[in-house]
Amino acid sequence: QFIPYMKKYKIQKDKPETWENQWKCFKVLLFNHFCIQLPLICGTYYFTEYFNIPYDWERMPRWCLLLVKCLGCAVIEDTWHYFLHRLLHHKRIYKYIHKVHHEFQAPFGMEAEYAHPLETLILGTGFFIGIMLLCDHVIFLWAWVTIRLMETIDVHSGYDIPLNPLNLIP
């Protein structure tokens, strides 16, 4: 019942990806998550220890400050992503790195993170720049991770869902 209802909000092609392509996407995601992103995630422990970033309730920032900092991270990350994404479309490097991300014709949520490992590192760097500049509590780190993942999956889902709070983010 839910899927037919959602069809009216579909903004991309109505050609679903095959199970084979979805499986291929899933395998690349597993590699990128375990071999590239997991070491970076594990490194956040050392990051928080090295920079003495607190995680206790007493020093947790107010929600409005978290929101402003997440907005700041969004501006930093989007600026980084815009310019580096344009660079990845340059004719001399597109076919080696970024072409992988454009392999699928119909977007689906998992495809948001389907990319060449170098692209994952290059574009992922922008995500960490804001954290390095603005992080003053572990709760901010997790708030930014949550907002960014929701936004990425939403953008690549192929749907324009009404009353979506992510539509408030320019």
Side-chain angles (χ1 to χ4, degrees):
Q1 290 177 334
F2 180 71
I3 299 300
Y5 172 76
M6 290 302 293
K7 282 188 184 262
K8 64 183 174 184
Y9 301 111
K10 189 83 170 143
I11 56 175
Q12 298 283 335
K13 289 183 179 180
D14 198 21
K15 177 186 167 195
E17 285 298 338
T18 63
W19 286 108
E20 293 81 22
N21 281 345
Q22 290 186 33
W23 177 244
K24 179 183 177 184
C25 179
F26 184 69
K27 289 188 291 187
V28 170
L29 258 66
L30 283 177
F31 175 81
N32 284 346
H33 279 248
F34 285 105
C35 297
I36 301 208
Q37 294 174 5
L38 182 63
L40 292 172
I41 291 168
C42 292
T44 59
Y45 168 76
Y46 297 104
F47 171 79
T48 58
E49 288 296 312
Y50 183 80
F51 290 104
N52 200 24
I53 295 173
Y55 51 87
D56 57 331
W57 284 103
E58 292 79 29
R59 291 186 275 181
M60 188 167 78
R62 296 181 157 275
W63 69 268
C64 53
L65 187 57
L66 279 175
L67 198 61
V68 167
K69 286 186 176 200
C70 283
L71 183 63
C73 273
V75 169
I76 291 167
E77 198 271 340
D78 280 351
T79 303
W80 177 270
H81 187 94
Y82 174 79
F83 287 107
L84 273 290
H85 185 247
R86 284 191 62 139
L87 180 66
L88 289 172
H89 274 271
H90 189 276
K91 63 183 177 182
R92 290 191 179 173
I93 58 176
Y94 174 81
K95 63 184 173 183
Y96 301 110
I97 299 173
H98 191 58
K99 185 177 180 180
V100 172
H101 182 70
H102 289 286
E103 194 171 310
F104 297 107
Q105 299 301 310
F108 54 100
M110 245 189 340
E111 186 257 343
E113 295 190 43
Y114 181 78
H116 188 281
L118 276 176
E119 181 176 356
T120 300
L121 285 172
I122 291 166
L123 295 181
T125 300
F127 173 85
F128 288 104
I129 292 172
I131 291 171
M132 290 188 293
L133 295 174
L134 302 174
C135 191
D136 62 352
H137 197 278
V138 172
I139 195 75
F140 165 72
L141 176 73
W142 292 115
W144 174 231
V145 167
T146 302
I147 289 171
R148 190 64 184 105
L149 278 175
M150 285 175 21
E151 191 266 340
T152 300
I153 292 169
D154 177 61
V155 165
H156 286 83
S157 71
Y159 290 91
D160 185 19
I161 301 168
L163 303 176
N164 182 348
L166 293 172
N167 289 340
L168 299 174
I169 301 170

